[in-house]
C-alpha cells in the first residue's frame, strides 16, 4: 500500500513538473546566452583534448621514457616495463577523474558553479606546465603527476559543466545547450589528434608542445567566464537570492518577462529541498533503490568495458604494431577521430527518434562492437601473418567499432541513470554512476597495453566477451525507458528481474 501511494505521489509530482514546464514560454537563443554556453563549454574542450592528445605521440613518449629512465637510474627498461609506466601515466587521468567527479557536486554547491569552474582552471594550468616541461627537466614522473592533475580538473568538469549548461538554458533549449558538452569533447579529440601528426608536433622534439596547447582554452575561459552570470537555480536554492536570479535570467533571456520561469525555479527548489527528498549515498544501495543502482552501474560498466577507452588511448600504437607503417598509424588515428565526431552528430538524431528506443540502440551498439572486435582480431592475425591488405581492413573494423559505440553504449548510460531515478535521488545516483565509469575507465587504461603485449591481438577478445555479456544483460534485465516515468520504469525493472530469477 505504501509503495503504491509512493508511486502515485511520484507520478503526480512528475505530471505537475511537466505541467509547469509546459506553460513556460519558449525562448530563443540570445547573443549573451550563446556567449555563456560557449565559455562554459570550453572546459569540456579541455576534457576532450586530454583524451586525444596522448594518442598520436604515445610511441614517441614511450621511447623518451626509456631514455630518461636510463639517464636517471642507469637502468635499461624493457619494452614491457616502458609500456607499463606509460599505462600508469595514461590511467592517472582516470584516477584524478574519480576524485574530481565525486567532489564536483560538493564544490559546485559550496562555492558556486561559476567560481568552481573559474578556479578549476588553476589545476589545468599546473597540469599543462608539468606535462609540457617534463622533457625539458628530463623527469618522466612529471608526466604521471600532470596526468593526475588534469584528470582531477576534467573530473570536476564532467560533473559541473553539464549541470551548469542546463541550469542556464531555457526549458525548450535545454537539450541543445547540454549537447555543447559532448560536442566540444568530440571536436577537441580530433584537434588534439591532428596536432600529433608528424608535420605539426608529432616528433620527438615537438610532442611537449601538444601538452602546452591545452593552456589555450584555459586562458580563453579565464578571460571570458568572469563575464558570465552565476546559475539562477544556484542563486535561489543555495543563496536564496531571488533578485540576483532575476537579474541573471533577464540578462540571459534579453527581456524582463521572467516571472514565470523564476517562480518555476522557486517551486522546484522547494520540492527538492525537503528533507525526505535528500537520502544519503548508502540509501542508494538499500531497499527499492538497490537494484536500479546496480543496473545503472552495470550500464556504465558496459560503456567502459566495451573497450572504447583502449581504442581511444592506444589506437596509434595498435595501428603501428599491427600492420600500418610510416605515418599511416597517425593518419589513421586522425581519421578515427573524424569518424567518431560524425557518429556523435548522427547519434543525436536517433536517441529520441520514435522508431528507436534506448534499449534497442544499446543492444544494437553492443552487438556491433562485439562483431567488430572479432573482425579486428581476425584482420590483425592476418596482418601479422604477412597479408598487408588486412591492415587496412583492420582500420575499417576499428572505425566500425567506434561508430557502433557512438550509437549505443556511448551516450545512453550517461542519461539512463537520470531516467531511472526521480529528483530526490537523481543527483547522488548520477554521482555514483559517474564515479563507477571513471573507475572502469582507469582499469581499462591501466591493463590493456600490458595484456596486449602478452596475448597481442587476442586482447580484443576480452571486449568480445564483455560486449556480448552486456548485450544479453540489457536484453534480459533492462527495460525501455523512453517516454516513461521513473516509477513506471522501476516497476518494470523489478518485474523483469523477478521473472528472470524465478525461472
Amino acid at each position: 500500500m505504501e509503495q503504491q501511494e509512493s508511486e502515485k505521489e511520484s507520478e503526480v509530482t512528475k505530471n505537475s513538473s511537466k505541467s509547469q514546464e509546459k506553460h513556460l514560454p519558449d525562448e530563443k537563443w540570445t547573443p549573451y546566452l550563446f556567449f555563456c554556453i560557449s565559455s562554459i563549454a570550453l572546459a569540456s574542450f579541455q576534457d576532450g583534448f586530454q583524451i586525444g592528445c596522448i594518442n598520436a605521440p604515445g610511441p614517441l613518449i614511450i621511447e623518451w621514457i626509456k631514455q630518461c629512465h636510463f639517464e636517471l637510474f642507469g637502468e635499461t627498461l624493457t619494452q614491457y616495463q616502458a609500456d607499463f609506466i606509460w599505462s600508469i601515466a595514461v590511467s592517472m587521468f582516470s584516477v584524478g577523474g574519480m576524485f574530481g567527479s565525486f567532489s564536483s557536486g560538493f564544490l559546485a554547491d559550496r562555492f558556486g558553479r561559476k567560481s568552481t569552474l573559474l578556479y578549476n582552471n588553476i589545476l589545468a594550468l599546473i597540469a599543462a606546465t608539468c606535462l609540457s616541461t617534463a622533457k625539458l627537466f628530463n623527469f618522466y614522473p612529471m608526466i604521471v603527476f600532470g596526468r593526475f592533475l588534469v584528470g582531477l580538473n576534467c573530473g570536476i568538469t564532467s560533473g559541473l559543466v553539464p549541470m551548469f549548461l542546463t541550469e542556464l538554458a531555457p526549458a525548450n533549449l535545454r537539450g541543445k545547450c547540454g549537447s555543447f558538452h559532448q560536442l566540444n569533447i568530440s571536436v577537441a579529440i580530433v584537434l588534439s589528434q591532428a596536432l600529433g601528426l608528424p608535420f605539426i608536433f608529432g616528433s620527438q622534439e615537438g610532442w611537449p608542445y601538444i601538452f602546452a596547447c591545452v593552456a589555450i582554452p584555459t586562458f580563453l575561459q579565464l578571460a571570458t567566464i568572469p563575464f558570465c552570470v552565476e546559475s539562477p537555480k544556484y542563486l535561489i536554492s543555495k543563496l536564496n537570492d531571488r533578485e540576483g536570479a532575476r537579474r541573471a535570467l533577464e540578462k540571459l533571456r534579453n527581456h524582463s518577462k521572467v516571472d514565470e520561469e523564476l517562480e518555476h525555479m522557486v517551486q522546484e527548489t522547494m520540492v527538492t529541498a525537503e528533507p525526505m527528498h535528500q537520502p544519503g549515498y548508502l540509501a542508494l544501495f538499500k531497499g527499492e533503490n538497490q537494484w536500479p543502482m546496480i543496473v545503472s552501474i552495470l550500464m556504465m560498466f558496459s560503456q567502459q568495458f566495451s573497450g572504447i577507452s583502449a581504442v581511444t588511448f592506444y589506437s596509434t600504437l595498435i595501428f603501428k604494431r599491427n600492420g600500418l607503417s610510416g605515418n599511416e598509424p597517425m593518419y589513421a588515428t586522425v581519421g578515427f577521430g573524424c569518424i567518431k565526431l560524425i557518429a556523435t552528430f548522427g547519434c543525436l538524431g536517433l536517441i529520441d527518434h520514435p522508431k528507436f528506443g534506448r534499449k534497442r540502440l544499446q543492444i544494437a551498439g553492443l552487438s556491433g562492437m562485439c562483431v567488430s572486435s572479432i573482425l579486428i582480431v581476425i584482420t590483425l592475425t592476418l596482418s601479422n601473418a604477412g597479408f598487408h591488405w588486412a591492415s587496412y581492413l583492420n582500420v575499417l573494423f576499428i572505425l566500425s567499432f567506434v561508430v557502433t559505440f557512438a550509437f549505443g553504449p556511448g551516450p545512453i548510460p550517461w542519461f539512463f541513470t537520470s531516467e531511472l531515478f526521480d529528483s530526490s535521488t537523481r543527483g547522488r545516483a548520477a554521482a555514483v554512476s559517474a564515479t563507477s565509469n571513471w573507475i572502469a575507465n582507469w582499469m581499462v587504461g591501466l591493463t590493456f597495453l600490458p595484456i596486449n603485449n602478452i596475448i597481442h591481438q587476442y586482447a580484443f577478445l576480452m571486449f568480445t566477451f564483455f560486449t556480448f555479456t552486456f548485450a544479453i544483460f540489457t536484453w534480459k534485465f533492462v527495460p525501455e525507458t523512453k517516454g516513461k516515468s521513473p516509477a513506471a520504469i522501476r516497476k518494470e525493472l523489478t518485474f523483469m528481474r523477478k521473472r528472470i530469477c524465478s525461472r
Side-chain angles (χ1 to χ4, degrees):
M1 180 67 70
E2 291 179 358
Q3 184 177 357
Q4 291 178 349
E5 291 177 357
S6 177
E7 290 179 0
K8 289 181 181 179
E9 181 180 352
S10 176
E11 192 67 29
V12 169
T13 302
K14 185 185 178 193
N15 290 338
S16 175
S17 176
K18 280 186 175 181
S19 177
Q20 287 177 323
E21 189 164 319
K22 183 179 179 180
H23 287 88
L24 288 176
D26 287 348
E27 301 287 352
K28 297 180 180 179
W29 282 98
T30 65
Y32 185 70
L33 174 63
F34 183 79
F35 169 81
C36 290
I37 296 298
S38 300
S39 175
I40 294 166
L42 283 172
S44 306
F45 190 94
Q46 179 78 251
D47 194 347
F49 198 96
Q50 289 300 332
I51 293 174
C53 72
I54 52 90
N55 197 330
L60 301 174
I61 298 176
I62 290 173
E63 290 303 314
W64 170 73
I65 288 175
K66 293 165 68 175
Q67 177 186 346
C68 179
H69 187 88
F70 179 78
E71 294 176 3
L72 288 173
F73 305 107
E75 298 177 351
T76 301
L77 293 175
T78 65
Q79 185 65 43
Y80 176 85
Q81 291 171 326
D83 284 345
F84 186 72
I85 291 174
W86 178 232
S87 295
I88 292 176
V90 171
S91 65
M92 289 306 290
F93 177 73
S94 299
V95 174
M98 295 178 217
F99 290 99
S101 61
F102 200 75
S103 63
S104 61
F106 167 77
L107 294 173
D109 287 343
R110 177 67 177 83
F111 302 105
R113 283 54 162 151
K114 179 179 174 181
S115 296
T116 301
L117 198 59
L118 178 66
Y119 292 111
N120 191 36
N121 285 294
I122 296 176
L123 287 174
L125 290 176
I126 297 174
T129 301
C130 289
L131 292 168
S132 61
T133 60
K135 188 178 181 183
L136 177 66
F137 292 107
N138 201 38
F139 192 60
Y140 68 80
M142 291 177 66
I143 294 284
V144 179
F145 182 63
R147 288 288 292 175
F148 173 78
L149 288 182
V150 81
L152 194 63
N153 166 269
C154 292
I156 295 172
T157 295
S158 67
L160 176 62
V161 168
M163 175 173 58
F164 199 178
L165 291 174
T166 55
E167 287 182 347
L168 293 187
N172 62 302
L173 296 178
R174 197 169 294 153
K176 291 183 176 64
C177 291
S179 67
F180 269 62
H181 173 64
Q182 184 61 42
L183 183 61
N184 273 266
I185 289 176
S186 299
V187 172
I189 289 175
V190 175
L191 179 60
S192 63
Q193 291 172 339
L195 291 175
L197 293 174
F199 61 89
I200 305 181
F201 294 135
S203 63
Q204 195 59 255
E205 296 76 24
W207 66 258
Y209 295 105
I210 299 177
F211 294 118
C213 287
V214 303
I216 296 176
T218 302
F219 283 121
L220 283 174
Q221 187 169 70
L222 285 171
T224 56
I225 200 68
F227 299 99
C228 298
V229 295
E230 179 57 275
S231 163
K233 187 172 182 179
Y234 170 79
L235 293 173
I236 292 175
S237 62
K238 300 300 179 182
L239 304 183
N240 197 27
D241 183 5
R242 296 194 183 189
E243 286 305 312
R246 177 185 294 276
R247 289 192 297 270
L249 282 174
E250 289 177 350
K251 199 169 184 180
L252 288 167
R253 307 296 179 253
N254 198 28
H255 60 72
S256 59
K257 299 178 181 179
V258 296
D259 291 340
E260 193 173 353
E261 186 175 3
L262 185 66
E263 184 60 27
H264 176 74
M265 290 184 178
V266 171
Q267 293 298 324
E268 182 181 345
T269 301
M270 290 175 62
V271 172
T272 57
E274 293 293 331
M276 62 176 292
H277 289 278
Q278 300 296 328
Y281 286 100
L282 292 178
L284 295 173
F285 295 93
K286 298 178 181 178
E288 63 177 12
N289 289 322
Q290 184 183 53
W291 180 240
M293 190 72 256
I294 291 174
V295 172
S296 297
I297 292 174
L298 289 176
M299 289 288 283
M300 284 296 190
F301 283 173
S302 75
Q303 182 186 85
Q304 290 302 328
F305 289 128
S306 68
I308 191 63
S309 294
V311 173
T312 301
F313 287 147
Y314 300 118
S315 60
T316 298
L317 206 57
I318 293 170
F319 293 145
K320 183 177 181 180
R321 291 184 179 179
N322 295 284
L324 299 188
S325 58
N327 293 329
E328 290 175 342
M330 293 186 179
Y331 291 115
T333 295
V334 176
F336 150 81
C338 292
I339 296 296
K340 187 177 180 182
L341 177 60
I342 295 172
T344 300
F345 276 106
C347 74
L348 295 177
L350 293 180
I351 288 177
D352 292 318
H353 194 278
K355 294 184 179 180
F356 297 92
R358 322 305 196 212
K359 182 174 182 176
R360 184 176 297 179
L361 287 175
Q362 178 76 355
I363 294 174
L366 289 169
S367 300
M369 296 182 79
C370 181
V371 174
S372 296
S373 62
I374 295 173
L375 294 174
I376 288 171
V377 172
I378 294 173
T379 52
L380 285 178
T381 302
L382 291 172
S383 177
N384 292 339
F387 297 94
H388 186 66
W389 54 266
S391 63
Y392 296 99
L393 285 179
N394 176 252
V395 174
L396 177 63
F397 294 134
I398 288 178
L399 291 178
S400 70
F401 187 86
V402 172
V403 169
T404 50
F405 170 83
F407 283 100
I412 290 174
W414 286 114
F415 61 80
F416 180 82
T417 301
S418 297
E419 293 185 317
L420 200 58
F421 290 87
D422 58 28
S423 58
S424 65
T425 52
R426 187 174 296 141
R428 287 169 175 79
V432 172
S433 296
T435 303
S436 67
N437 186 282
W438 279 98
I439 291 173
N441 182 292
W442 168 74
M443 292 174 64
V444 173
L446 179 65
T447 60
F448 174 74
L449 196 54
I451 293 175
N452 187 64
N453 285 334
I454 297 173
I455 61 176
H456 306 293
Q457 68 268 24
Y458 301 106
F460 272 90
L461 292 178
M462 297 186 305
F463 306 135
T464 303
F465 169 77
F466 283 123
T467 51
F468 177 79
T469 301
F470 283 119
I472 296 298
F473 171 80
T474 304
W475 175 42
K476 292 291 187 179
F477 291 99
V478 178
E480 178 55 61
T481 60
K482 181 168 65 74
K484 299 178 181 178
S485 68
I489 295 169
R490 288 159 73 102
K491 185 176 180 180
E492 185 177 351
L493 190 69
T494 303
F495 173 77
M496 292 177 69
R497 182 194 181 195
K498 290 181 177 179
R499 183 184 63 185
I500 297 298
C501 295
S502 62
R503 291 179 178 177

